Amino acid sequence: MIKACVIGWPISQSRSPLIHGYWLRKYGIDGSYTRQPVEPAELAAFIAGLASSGYAGCNVTIPHKEAVFEMVARADDTTQRIGAVNTVYVRDRKIFGTNTDGEGFLNNLRSAAPRLTLANGRAVVLGAGGASLAVVNALLEHGVAEVAVANRTADKTEQLRRRFGSRVTAIGWTEASDHLGDCSLLVNTTSLGMKGQPDLTIDLSRLSGTAVVTDIVYTPLRTKLLADAAARGNQVVEGLGMLLHQAVRGFSLWFGVTPRVTEELHDLVARDIDPEFRR
Ligand code: ATR
């Protein structure tokens, strides 16, 4: 039996076991995917002992993504640029780390908004934390001409600009709405709008009718930002799809099958988040 897991501290909220468990059943694979609470002091030992504990790999979530990046044998270029690992896999008893958040973000957009052309366009990204790094990097790798980033703490937008260069512009948190005029994509990567957090309030009146709005928050499935954007006729892409799409490569690395993100899987996880969910 092939074993994988998700590690974090705490870990009880993770929906990854639901996703990977669905695929294991769907593809008839003799495998398991469990939640493993790992406290920071035990992280290095857990990662070093991954192969001898019989794991093919694991997902990594808060607060371990940056620490695991420092512990893996080799990370690919995208992961180096992000400086954080969300997927670990074992090959020849060596431990490799990669980051699938960026491809999860892009593949969610591709699948839900296939007509959106990002190359040579402009995007506005709200937030400059860990998730923003993966999103900004993915947009730049995808050929977006300019990514304007707004963050409550201005220092962090400056750091992003230094990290990624002149295609990133730092804009003031309160001025974000002034920069919406010619953007084709607006992304929220902050935790605002998440259940238990304040809503994100931004004036969308300058946003073009053809712009797509997406949120990486998926609890609730449709945040206030997305509801506001949809109410004024913009196409919106919910964040749950990013969670589903970022899981694909890990499953393939551990279990040897590239799984599909289907409506059935989406609805299973959506109902876990919101029992009232109806397609
Ligand atoms: P993640 O890994 O999910 O990105 P993070 O690195 O802690 O988590 O980043 C959280 C993001 O949400 C940051 O951009 C943070 O802004 P600051 O850098 O100013 O802290 C943003 N955020 C969280 N609460 C916020 C609030 N009340 N108002 C504005 N931004 C907020």
Side-chain angles (χ1 to χ4, degrees):
M1 187 179 75
I2 306 171
K3 285 196 330 178
C5 64
V6 55
I7 62 169
W9 185 259
I11 195 62
S12 57
Q13 291 300 312
S14 173
R15 289 190 168 82
S16 292
L18 190 59
I19 299 169
H20 291 284
Y22 167 87
W23 282 331
L24 286 171
R25 287 193 303 279
K26 179 104 184 161
Y27 297 104
I29 294 169
D30 183 18
S32 71
Y33 184 102
T34 53
R35 284 188 187 90
Q36 297 296 334
V38 176
E39 52 181 295
E42 290 169 359
L43 183 64
F46 186 90
I47 294 294
L50 203 63
S52 44
S53 309
Y55 285 109
C58 64
N59 278 128
V60 181
T61 188
I62 291 166
H64 297 324
K65 289 183 177 189
E66 285 83 12
V68 169
F69 173 75
E70 304 294 338
M71 294 171 187
V72 293
R74 188 176 62 86
D76 49 89
D77 291 350
T78 297
T79 309
Q80 303 275 3
R81 279 192 288 276
I82 301 171
V85 156
N86 77 338
T87 303
V88 170
Y89 58 101
V90 178
R91 289 285 182 277
D92 301 329
R93 297 191 74 79
K94 281 206 206 63
I95 294 165
F96 293 90
T98 189
N99 193 309
T100 65
D101 284 334
E103 70 209 50
F105 172 76
L106 285 180
N107 287 336
N108 183 34
L109 278 181
R110 277 193 194 105
S111 129
R115 284 195 304 273
L116 171 67
T117 46
L118 284 173
N120 307 319
R122 234 183 121 255
V124 172
V125 173
L126 306 175
S132 172
L133 271 179
V135 165
V136 170
N137 184 62
L139 290 171
L140 292 175
E141 284 183 0
H142 193 69
V144 173
E146 187 200 343
V147 183
V149 184
N151 194 55
R152 177 181 59 178
T153 310
D155 264 10
K156 285 209 231 160
T157 30
E158 274 306 315
Q159 277 171 30
L160 266 188
R161 203 182 53 75
R162 280 198 294 274
R163 189 172 192 125
F164 291 117
S166 58
R167 281 157 71 207
V168 170
T169 51
I171 58 178
W173 177 243
T174 51
E175 284 101 56
S177 57
D178 302 338
H179 292 263
L180 297 181
D182 57 352
C183 82
S184 47
L185 177 70
L186 170 63
V187 189
N188 175 44
T189 73
T190 75
S191 47
L192 291 173
M194 195 183 285
K195 205 170 152 226
Q197 300 281 327
D199 278 330
L200 172 64
T201 44
I202 176 169
D203 175 8
L204 297 176
S205 57
R206 288 190 183 80
L207 193 66
S208 142
T210 58
V212 172
V213 180
T214 186
D215 203 323
I216 70 158
V217 172
Y218 56 85
T219 52
L221 296 165
R222 181 156 289 206
T223 58
K224 181 172 186 300
L225 170 69
L226 295 183
D228 288 350
R232 64 190 296 284
N234 286 94
Q235 183 176 7
V236 301
V237 178
E238 293 177 355
L240 175 56
M242 176 175 170
L243 177 73
L244 305 179
H245 283 281
Q246 66 75 34
V248 168
R249 192 149 58 90
F251 190 91
S252 157
L253 286 165
W254 310 317
F255 300 114
V257 172
T258 302
R260 281 188 50 223
V261 174
T262 56
E263 281 191 357
E264 187 183 50
L265 171 63
H266 173 278
D267 294 358
L268 175 77
V269 184
R271 276 194 301 273
D272 188 62
I273 292 166
D274 175 6
E276 309 280 287
F277 170 80
R278 295 282 177 279
R279 181 165 284 281

